[in-house]
Amino acid sequence: MCGIVAAASRRDIVPVLVEGLRRLEYRGYDSAGVAVLGAQDRPQLKRLRAAGRVAELAAQIDAHKLVSETGIAHTRWATHGAPSEKNAHPHVSGGLAVVHNGIIENHEQIRTRLTGEGYVFASETDSEVIAHLVAHLRRTSPDLLSAVCKTASELVGAFAIAVVSEDDPHVVALARKGAPLLLGLGEGESFAASDASALIQVTSRVVYLEDGDCAEIRPDGVRVLDARGIRVERAAHLSEMTAQAVELGPYRHYMQKEIFEQPGALANTLEAVAAANSVQPGLFGAEAAAMLKDVSSVQIVACGTSYHAGMVARYWLESIAHLPAQVDIASEYRYRAVVPDRRGLFVTISQSGETADTLAALEYAKSLGIERTLSICNVPESSLVRVSRLRFLTRAGPEIGVASTKAFTTQLGALFLLVLVLAKLGRHLSPQAEDGLLKALRHVPAALGKVLETEPEVERWAARFAQKQHVLFLGRGIHWPIAMEGALKLKEISYIHAEAYAAGELKHGPLALVDRDMPVVAVAPGDALVEKLKSNLQEVRARGGELYVFADRETQIEASDTVHVIRLPEHAGPLSPILHVVPLQLLAYHAALARGTDVDKPRNLAKSVTVE
């Protein structure tokens, strides 16, 4: 959710901090701030904060002519306390400043204790207790890092912390537990950030901190201590993220760019089977052959868009691999009294790999004795990837828009490969069927390119939707989750209230909502359930509703004054969900444009949900 950038150098790092914050804007935030130290002979702490966008903070920085060699910066997404300047980070205690991502669960107890010690709190946040606690412990600690390590040991919850102090010039101290934090290695300078995208303008060499690590960055290098306080060496990695990958290019918004990147992103994700005649378990890791060969069931856990991908996969798992499958929202699964299948495969899905509820659900599953764990993720060094036995990395590239698009379609591609592997190991997939399904999967990127050509038609529909306040989405079978994803996209970025239903449920309640002011969107490929769906659509027409149908060449639905039809170029069989979600993404995008909302940074939402 929030974003952290920190730097220690012997040059002015204020532009680095500001640019880093700009590159983290996609994560979602409501305020921003910076704290820097003056020259080494006068290391006076200076702090600037703004309730609003990074541009407002940058204007303050320019007005104050801020220059520094050591500093921290932050974008905040409000949890404790309203979005305001007084609640914005950094928080200070004397000559010390702290930025924090995450939630401190025992902040009230610490606040009570520190108030008794004479500390005065100026904000409503849980984060301010960190500043006062570090300041308190620094009095009896040999250096800033020691004080931060002691502080981290007292905190309960999830956190990534960066601290600067007038007493420790040219040092930034850090701590990580349950929230992402990495170091950047430069020549004569060091950096830290919650996301590698914040540092690509200064370095591609990064060190991923492990859970429980504390660290410090200086101009001449970094020092890392593990959870036991023992100095350790964490491996440096060359980040694959490039500046070009996160540039907007010729597109109006990142969401539009990412929608149109889907053919390439899916092709990259499927590269391992681009020329293969069969699928192999090794796609999912060295242990996959042994761990997947006698799987008895599949449990999928995810949040938001990734949850919808899991729902699609359930249909594939049952119909192709003949395996019982369940799909749970991570925040529900982790608090459910689960009856574990210890021979089952536990699959987590996350774009960022840092989704707090998904990580917690995985730890819960492990505590129940489930050992066969697989993550499907877009970030190679994410927490989810590191704590899963098996993994499959989607190759969507950086996804900047808050409303996920290419992450979803690449997740579906990865899940289909998993289904084929499980079906093959379970002897439910003949060589002929395997060959045919692989060919169909490899064709999907090209088919996506054709689907994108429907954008002008979708844009005309979106102009009508922009005037509406409510929309109903319908789908049947494997396309019901796609209807859910379409409704989610529309509500996320256009702020139009949208609901999705399995079309067979229409007469069990939702039909009461249908009138001439309630558009009804139907996902209607020519599959085995299309005749059933047509009956449901007639129920809408009979009550004066207006239908917007995404069909394909196999669907025999004719257009009329109240039935609008866009036909996708081809029918993709079981892979149809990957094609049919794209025009729904375009519908949401163009409806949001017509309504004038912030497409890439919708209100109240964050890209990576790293707190519960």
Side-chain angles (χ1 to χ4, degrees), residues 323-339:
L323 281 169
Q326 292 189 80
V327 188
D328 276 88
I329 297 169
S331 56
E332 291 297 316
Y333 178 87
R334 64 183 290 196
Y335 295 115
R336 187 157 62 79
V338 174
V339 179

Side-chain angles (χ1 to χ4, degrees), residues 139-468:
R139 297 176 181 176
T140 56
S141 301
D143 55 29
L144 184 62
L145 180 59
S146 298
V148 169
C149 290
K150 290 177 185 176
T151 298
S153 69
E154 294 194 26
L155 301 177
V156 176
F159 52 82
I161 300 167
V163 188
V164 291
S165 170
E166 292 177 348
D167 294 333
D168 303 84
H170 285 294
V171 174
V172 181
L174 311 133
R176 175 190 186 265
K177 180 184 176 184
L181 193 62
L182 56 89
L183 312 181
L185 308 179
E187 296 297 329
E189 54 190 4
S190 303
F191 309 93
S194 49
D195 189 317
S197 64
L199 303 181
I200 56 176
Q201 82 272 19
V202 287
T203 185
S204 59
R205 294 176 62 225
V206 296
V207 173
Y208 295 93
L209 295 179
E210 300 287 339
D211 224 35
D213 281 354
C214 292
E216 68 175 15
I217 58 172
R218 296 173 173 270
D220 55 358
V222 304
R223 179 163 61 115
V224 181
L225 307 180
D226 67 13
R228 300 166 298 170
I230 299 172
R231 183 164 185 172
V232 292
E233 296 294 328
R234 300 289 184 215
H237 301 266
L238 196 63
S239 174
E240 296 180 5
M241 190 175 292
T242 64
Q244 184 178 4
V246 295
E247 294 298 334
L248 192 56
Y251 297 96
R252 295 178 66 180
H253 299 89
Y254 281 106
M255 183 177 180
Q256 184 188 33
K257 175 178 184 274
E258 287 154 13
I259 289 171
F260 277 82
E261 285 177 337
Q262 287 177 110
L266 185 58
N268 289 339
T269 297
L270 301 175
E271 186 178 24
V273 295
N277 296 320
S278 64
V279 291
Q280 301 300 326
L283 290 169
F284 297 91
E287 298 181 87
M291 291 181 62
L292 299 180
K293 68 178 180 180
D294 59 347
V295 163
S296 55
S297 67
V298 179
Q299 170 71 63
I300 299 174
V301 171
C303 300
T305 286
S306 297
Y307 170 70
H308 296 157
M311 290 185 68
V312 172
R314 179 183 181 180
Y315 288 88
W316 288 334
L317 284 161
E318 293 176 342
S319 63
I320 299 173
H322 300 276
L323 281 169
Q326 292 189 80
V327 188
D328 276 88
I329 297 169
S331 56
E332 291 297 316
Y333 178 87
R334 64 183 290 196
Y335 295 115
R336 187 157 62 79
V338 174
V339 179
D341 177 2
R342 291 184 175 84
R343 288 180 50 224
L345 177 65
F346 190 86
V347 179
T348 50
I349 312 170
S350 169
Q351 189 283 135
S352 67
E354 304 294 348
T355 309
D357 284 315
T358 305
L359 283 162
L362 175 55
E363 292 305 314
Y364 175 47
K366 288 181 176 180
S367 74
L368 298 174
I370 298 173
E371 296 181 352
R372 305 177 196 217
T373 59
L374 163 67
S375 67
I376 292 174
C377 183
N378 192 42
V379 181
E381 293 295 334
S382 63
S383 298
L384 194 64
V385 170
R386 293 201 299 270
V387 297
S388 300
R389 295 279 296 278
L390 304 178
R391 65 206 51 86
F392 187 96
L393 294 171
T394 57
R395 296 176 60 190
E399 190 179 62
I400 306 301
V402 166
S404 183
T405 52
K406 62 179 179 175
F408 180 71
T409 48
T410 55
Q411 286 169 355
L412 290 179
L415 287 162
F416 196 77
L417 287 176
L418 175 64
V419 169
L420 295 184
V421 167
L422 291 171
K424 185 175 180 178
L425 291 173
R427 299 183 180 179
H428 296 295
L429 191 66
S430 69
Q432 295 81 9
E434 180 183 8
D435 182 62
L437 290 171
L438 265 179
K439 285 180 179 176
L441 182 60
R442 286 195 291 261
H443 176 65
V444 170
L448 281 175
K450 292 292 185 182
V451 172
L452 288 167
E453 294 176 7
T454 64
E455 184 181 28
E457 294 177 86
V458 176
E459 187 174 3
R460 287 192 288 273
W461 282 12
R464 300 185 186 190
F465 277 67
Q467 309 306 316
K468 305 296 183 180

Side-chain angles (χ1 to χ4, degrees), residues 582-593:
V582 173
L584 300 183
Q585 296 168 349
L586 289 169
L587 180 64
Y589 171 72
H590 284 290
L593 278 188

